[in-house]
Amino acid sequence: MYKVHLKPGKEESLKRFHPWIFSGAIAHIDGEPEEGEVVEVYTAKKEFIAKGHFQIGSIAVRVLTFNQDENIDNDFWTWKLQTAFDMRRSIGLTDNANNNTYRLVHGEGDNLPGLVIDIYARTAVMQAHSAGMHLDRMHIAEALSQVMEGRIDNIYYKSETTLPFKADLYPENGFLKGGSSDNVATEYGLKFHIDWLKGQKTGFFVDQRENRSLLERYAQGRAVLNMFCYTGGFSVYAMRGGARLVHSVDSSAKAIDLTNKNMELNFPGDTRHTAYAEDAFKYLDRMGDQYDLIILDPPAFAKHRDALRNALQGYRKLNSKAFEKIKPGGILFTFSCSQAVSKENFRTAVFTAAAMSGRSVRILHQLTQPADHPVNIYHPEGEYLKGLVLYVE
Ligand code: SAH
């Protein structure tokens, strides 16, 4: 196995179990590992410190274990996936007749950096974000079949857009096991078509489940605007919560089709709902003041640190428009899923927008990602989803 040697002192974060090694921390490498290969990492004092997947880029090693005796073999993958499964089972997610949509593996949060696995009824959708997870995909699929024996029939691999291009991996999306076209999954009793073939992420935003459920509690009798609706998740919950009317908006025509399909699946023929394919800013400018419950769940405005300033301006502008138009006594659910935007940054952007509008605004809830998207305490950056529920007078 190739050995990566760190510069003096660069092992400090690893001693605190942080799972990444940046390329700048490396003094030299014995030999030339291929991207995705497992390498051993040593301190400047030649002490073993970690083992992980090597990759060319700013994060050079993603740690899989801090134990020198642990081999990255079939037993390793089975053990890791079993640990992830046991956690979901212990919090009541795996055997719930009312809900068969959940995240089984959440990257660093499950000590498996670079790997995501979502469960949709009897299909697991697996996504690699690192070259190493891509190379190990068949071993992982094998372990997944074993751990989920009797619970899933299909494993779909969806990594065409999540792997670094430069690594020349040419991943192809497709089934590693089974091959069903039945793609309807249930979330808290509501049905959704999951577009794992073409959809964003693994086909659905599993991470908004608890926040959608909270929204349902506030929907009764309200006029709801679900901006950036994608699959219409929040809209369907608002309908069940007894909203007076629900308008879903997304700039993507495909998202609007999906929203309409999901609405038909749950509330066929219900005329309270209308979906519009339109740009968010245009819609917010032209709309009236009829809404008293607004959801803003935009895509990540900042994918990287250097885009932070523009992103914060984006959040400020977007939220300003909602504060300008929302009815007195209205409730705003506003989110940021950019990892590069901190909770404080996001709050500042939203509070600035509120202050500019001159409205009196109170925080009802501070939201984040659900328990099946756990945050590894040694990798606090993993807390990416931030939300505020605000009462606007
Ligand atoms: N709220 C959704 C997830 C939103 S993902 C859920 O619960 O599942 C972000 C969505 O924003 C995508 O569907 C994308 O098509 C849409 N989008 C991106 N830019 C947009 C814009 N300028 N105006 C409207 N929608 C936009």
Side-chain angles (χ1 to χ4, degrees):
M1 202 179 295
Y2 291 104
K3 290 184 180 171
V4 169
H5 300 274
L6 299 179
K7 293 177 183 163
K10 291 295 182 187
E11 69 279 11
E12 283 310 312
S13 65
L14 293 160
K15 283 189 176 157
R16 292 191 303 270
F17 305 113
H18 192 279
W20 295 344
I21 296 165
F22 291 99
S23 54
I26 296 176
H28 67 276
I29 303 175
D30 292 341
E32 276 185 42
E34 295 282 324
E35 288 208 69
E37 250 183 273
V38 175
V39 294
E40 281 188 332
V41 184
Y42 287 81
T43 67
K45 291 186 184 139
K46 299 202 165 29
E47 286 160 353
F48 170 89
I49 185 121
K51 253 183 231 185
H53 282 142
F54 175 75
Q55 189 162 314
I56 295 167
S58 122
I59 305 173
V61 182
R62 288 168 172 81
V63 175
L64 297 168
T65 179
F66 293 96
N67 176 356
Q68 191 164 17
D69 298 329
E70 192 164 40
N71 294 319
I72 312 306
D73 54 14
N74 287 345
D75 286 350
F76 171 85
W77 296 115
T78 310
W79 163 245
K80 286 289 194 186
L81 295 191
Q82 188 66 49
T83 306
F85 176 80
D86 289 346
M87 191 276 260
R88 275 68 181 176
R89 182 168 51 194
S90 76
I91 59 171
L93 273 173
T94 61
D95 298 283
N96 183 342
N98 206 29
N99 186 77
N100 57 27
T101 304
Y102 61 93
R103 178 156 290 195
L104 177 67
V105 173
H106 183 60
E108 286 80 2
D110 285 290
N111 298 310
L112 288 168
L115 182 66
V116 163
I117 303 176
D118 285 333
I119 306 296
Y120 299 117
R122 299 200 59 88
T123 299
V125 180
M126 184 170 137
Q127 193 159 71
H129 291 258
S130 70
M133 290 300 182
H134 173 68
L135 295 188
D136 278 325
R137 66 196 178 284
M138 298 315 282
H139 300 291
I140 298 168
E142 188 60 37
L144 182 58
S145 297
Q146 212 175 313
V147 169
M148 295 296 282
E149 169 95 70
R151 293 175 192 272
I152 59 164
D153 306 313
N154 318 297
I155 301 176
Y156 187 78
Y157 185 61
K158 185 174 192 286
S159 304
E160 276 177 11
T161 55
T162 55
L163 287 166
F165 312 107
K166 288 189 198 135
D168 288 341
L169 300 166
Y170 310 111
E172 277 183 26
N173 290 350
F175 283 97
L176 301 180
K177 186 186 175 196
S180 168
S181 57
D182 174 14
N183 69 347
V184 174
T186 308
E187 189 186 81
Y188 286 157
L190 294 165
K191 294 193 176 71
F192 292 97
H193 287 283
I194 311 296
D195 184 10
W196 53 66
L197 301 182
K198 298 248 151 54
Q200 303 179 46
K201 296 222 208 179
T202 61
F204 195 61
F205 282 66
V206 185
D207 57 0
Q208 288 285 24
R209 181 184 56 242
E210 303 305 324
N211 302 332
R212 289 191 273 255
S213 179
L214 178 68
L215 174 103
E216 181 178 354
R217 288 176 21 204
Y218 290 115
Q220 184 65 44
R222 291 189 184 267
V224 179
L225 170 64
N226 179 11
M227 183 52 79
F228 308 99
C229 65
Y230 187 34
T231 59
F234 281 103
S235 306
V236 178
Y237 278 79
M239 294 287 279
R240 188 169 67 180
R244 185 158 54 77
L245 70 86
V246 178
H247 290 165
S248 306
V249 179
D250 199 291
S251 57
S252 146
K254 270 198 196 141
I256 293 305
D257 284 348
L258 204 50
T259 295
N260 283 326
K261 265 173 82 181
N262 286 331
M263 202 50 82
E264 264 320 286
L265 204 54
N266 294 280
F267 300 96
D270 196 322
T271 54
R272 290 176 298 155
H273 178 253
T274 316
Y276 303 94
E278 195 170 333
D279 174 74
F281 287 94
K282 284 199 182 129
Y283 188 90
L284 290 164
D285 277 339
R286 80 168 170 88
M287 74 183 199
D289 58 0
Q290 72 264 45
Y291 301 112
D292 52 7
L293 179 48
I294 298 181
I295 302 123
L296 298 176
D297 184 22
F301 281 166
K303 293 236 159 85
H304 303 287
R305 279 240 143 256
D306 40 3
L308 187 61
R309 255 190 54 181
N310 284 343
L312 293 178
Q313 204 175 343
Y315 288 118
R316 208 158 51 231
K317 264 176 65 185
L318 184 65
N319 284 279
S320 294
K321 300 217 182 280
F323 286 124
E324 260 168 46
K325 302 264 178 96
I326 197 166
K327 259 196 179 158
I331 295 178
L332 174 64
F333 277 64
T334 183
F335 296 95
S336 162
C337 60
S338 312
Q339 189 149 333
V341 173
S342 70
K343 205 188 300 184
E344 287 68 33
N345 278 334
F346 177 60
R347 289 170 71 114
T348 306
V350 174
F351 296 170
T352 308
M356 275 157 44
S357 73
R359 309 278 298 260
S360 164
V361 175
R362 276 174 279 180
I363 304 174
L364 304 183
H365 300 271
Q366 304 180 49
L367 306 177
T368 182
Q369 62 220 52
D372 51 343
H373 295 57
V375 181
N376 177 344
I377 58 166
Y378 305 117
H379 179 257
E381 308 89 303
E383 187 180 344
Y384 68 99
L385 184 61
K386 300 153 288 281
L388 291 166
V389 181
L390 304 168
Y391 184 83
V392 189
E393 275 177 47

